[in-house]
């Protein structure tokens, strides 16, 4: 079947499979479980675990799912507005909040500020996106 006939989740799984084909030493994944159902998400994490243990692969990934980051990462980096705000093991970051039992959602809020930043105007955001596309 043509890929364009696949569901979004199936395309996502195909993209992840493609990333693992050459068994790289270092793999970068951008939100690997975005848009996947719980069963598919679990399958992705099993594949990632297998790649780390059997092949010694180092995997960097981005995610907005803090429970995944807490369960899957040996080290975390928290970014806010393009800046690195914290780095460490999940437990180190939790302890850094003064609450070793904090959730990573709470850790994220602690290191980035609990309030949403109003940010730039639509015009400024559009200009920034154009510049990013232009300069890669």
């Amino acid at each position: 079947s043509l890929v364009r006939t696949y569901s979004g989740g199936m395309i996502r799984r195909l993209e992840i499979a493609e990333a693992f084909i050459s068994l790289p030493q270092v793999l970068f994944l951008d939100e690997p479980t975005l848009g996947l159902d719980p069963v598919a998400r679990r399958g992705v994490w099993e594949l990632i675990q297998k790649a780390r243990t059997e092949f010694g692969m180092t995997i960097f990934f981005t995610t907005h799912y803090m429970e995944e980051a807490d369960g899957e990462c040996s080290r975390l980096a928290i970014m806010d507005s393009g800046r690195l705000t914290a780095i460490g093991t999940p437990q180190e970051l939790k302890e850094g909040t003064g609450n070793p039992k904090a959730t990573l959602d709470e850790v994220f809020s602690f290191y980035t500020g609990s309030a949403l930043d109003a940010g730039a105007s639509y015009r400024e955001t559009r200009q920034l996106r154009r510049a990013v596309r232009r300069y890669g």
Side-chain angles (χ1 to χ4, degrees):
S1 297
L2 295 175
V3 172
R4 71 174 178 234
T5 65
Y6 292 176
S7 68
M10 183 62 84
I11 291 171
R12 192 70 171 157
R13 287 184 291 213
L14 179 60
E15 291 170 342
I16 292 166
E18 288 176 321
F20 281 94
I21 287 176
S22 65
L23 294 176
Q25 289 182 336
V26 178
L27 180 63
F28 292 86
L29 298 171
D30 184 20
E31 300 198 41
T33 59
L34 182 67
L36 298 180
D37 63 67
V39 173
R41 285 174 69 188
R42 187 172 46 252
V44 167
W45 290 118
E46 288 170 359
L47 177 63
I48 288 172
Q49 283 289 355
K50 185 176 181 178
R52 286 195 293 211
T53 57
E54 290 186 22
F55 305 110
M57 192 180 293
T58 298
I59 301 173
F60 291 89
F61 69 91
T62 62
T63 187
H64 288 95
Y65 300 130
M66 295 296 105
E67 71 280 0
E68 288 184 349
D70 198 8
E72 300 298 331
C73 294
S74 56
R75 290 185 53 78
L76 298 171
I78 295 177
M79 296 190 71
D80 182 40
S81 300
R83 292 195 173 117
L84 186 63
T85 60
I87 190 166
T89 68
Q91 192 57 43
E92 288 170 348
L93 295 178
K94 290 174 185 180
E95 290 170 0
T97 68
N99 178 8
K101 295 184 189 234
T103 67
L104 275 191
D105 284 331
E106 294 166 330
V107 168
F108 184 87
S109 293
F110 178 84
Y111 286 105
T112 62
S114 57
L116 289 176
D117 184 9
S121 69
Y122 173 75
R123 182 175 181 212
E124 291 167 330
T125 302
R126 190 177 71 216
Q127 289 172 339
L128 177 62
R129 287 182 176 166
R130 284 182 181 160
V132 167
R133 272 185 259 145
R134 189 171 46 243
Y135 299 113

